[in-house]
């Protein structure tokens, strides 16, 4: 056998190139990787759970917080779903963990749709909201106040007057008197608080 072949045999006999041992080392590295991953999953710090106003959420949709129903007691589902838009409610339904929870969430969403429809119908049929009248007109000499409104402002005044079943000029007078009364009240209160703080 040649000298080169002897050298090759020596290299192959060297422990550093033992195939069985190399395979064992690779296995050990894989086992270590698995153990490290298991440690991280079991005992590592989990990602912090998101909260919004004391309610666990899974994220946001269009700026609305999406409640994580799976982390909430079912008794609270209706309460946290009611103020949300329909789309946010449907997104929240995806956070449940079981089929039974999905059925419960679906039933609640259906009931909320009916509640919303009833509320809209009632709002359409409701009489205009009541508004306290302004100060009664004083007898005798009065003062006339004139001011101009832009087209958009006048259109809004007419719309508001329709809601209160009033003429636009009457509503403008009521709002002016109430606004003046409020401004004077705020000024008196500010003066009182300044004296009290001295």
């Amino acid at each position: 056998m040649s000298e080169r072949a002897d050298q090759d045999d020596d290299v192959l006999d060297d422990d550093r190139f033992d195939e069985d041992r190399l395979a064992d080392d690779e296995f050990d590295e894989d086992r270590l990787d698995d153990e490290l991953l298991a440690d991280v999953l079991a005992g590592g710090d989990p990602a912090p759970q998101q909260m919004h106003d004391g309610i666990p959420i899974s994220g946001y949709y269009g700026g609305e917080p999406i409640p994580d129903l799976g982390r909430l007691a079912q008794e609270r589902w209706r309460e946290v779903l009611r103020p949300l838009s329909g789309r946010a409610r449907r997104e929240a339904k995806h956070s449940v963990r079981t089929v039974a929870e999905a059925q419960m969430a679906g039933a609640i969403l259906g009931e909320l749709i009916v509640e919303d429809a009833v509320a809209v119908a009632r709002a359409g049929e409701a009489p205009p909201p009541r508004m306290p009248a302004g100060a009664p007109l004083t007898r005798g000499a009065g003062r006339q106040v004139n001011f101009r409104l832009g087209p958009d402002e006048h259109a809004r005044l007419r719309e508001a007057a329709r809601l209160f079943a009033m003429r636009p000029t009457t509503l403008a007078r009521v709002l002016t008197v109430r606004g003046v009364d409020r401004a004077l009240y705020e000024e008196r209160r500010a003066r009182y608080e300044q004296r009290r703080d001295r």
Side-chain angles (χ1 to χ4, degrees):
M1 198 152 83
S2 72
E3 187 175 321
R4 181 171 179 84
D6 288 340
Q7 288 174 350
D8 289 341
D9 287 341
D10 289 341
V11 168
L12 291 176
D13 288 338
D14 191 344
D15 285 342
R16 289 175 297 175
F17 294 97
D18 183 356
E19 290 179 13
D20 293 333
R21 187 169 176 183
L22 181 60
D24 289 342
D25 289 344
E26 288 175 355
F27 173 76
D28 289 344
E29 287 177 13
D30 291 340
R31 185 173 49 79
L32 287 173
D33 288 344
D34 291 342
E35 288 174 1
L36 287 172
L37 180 59
D39 288 345
V40 168
L41 292 176
D45 293 333
Q49 296 177 339
Q50 291 182 306
M51 301 289 284
H52 180 82
D53 289 341
I55 298 169
I57 62 171
S58 59
Y60 291 87
Y61 180 82
E64 284 185 281
I66 306 300
D68 189 343
L69 299 181
R71 290 168 38 206
L72 273 173
Q74 287 186 8
E75 298 80 37
R76 296 198 60 203
W77 288 7
R78 183 184 305 274
E79 164 200 345
V80 299
L81 290 172
R82 181 173 282 123
L84 300 178
S85 67
R87 180 63 191 203
R89 291 173 182 170
R90 289 190 297 276
E91 289 292 325
K93 184 181 171 189
H94 298 303
S95 67
V96 297
R97 309 290 195 261
T98 66
V99 172
E101 288 181 345
Q103 291 170 339
M104 175 64 75
I108 291 173
L109 262 57
E111 292 168 6
L112 290 174
I113 289 171
V114 172
E115 283 182 20
D116 291 347
V118 169
V120 168
R122 284 186 183 154
E125 296 170 1
R130 293 188 59 193
M131 180 178 222
L137 289 172
T138 54
R139 295 282 178 192
R143 297 284 184 171
Q144 184 170 344
V145 177
N146 295 319
F147 53 88
R148 292 189 173 276
L149 297 175
D152 291 341
E153 293 169 328
H154 190 263
R156 290 198 308 274
L157 174 64
R158 283 192 5 225
E159 178 64 19
R162 185 188 65 75
L163 290 174
F164 293 108
M166 302 171 93
R167 293 184 323 198
T169 53
T170 304
L171 178 61
R173 181 183 180 284
V174 168
L175 294 176
T176 300
V177 170
R178 289 183 68 195
V180 167
D181 288 345
R182 180 70 184 189
L184 293 173
Y185 165 76
E186 292 290 344
E187 193 273 336
R188 284 193 306 271
R189 191 174 80 172
R191 274 188 294 156
Y192 168 76
E193 288 176 357
Q194 284 176 351
R195 286 197 304 268
R196 188 188 62 187
D197 291 341
R198 288 180 184 167

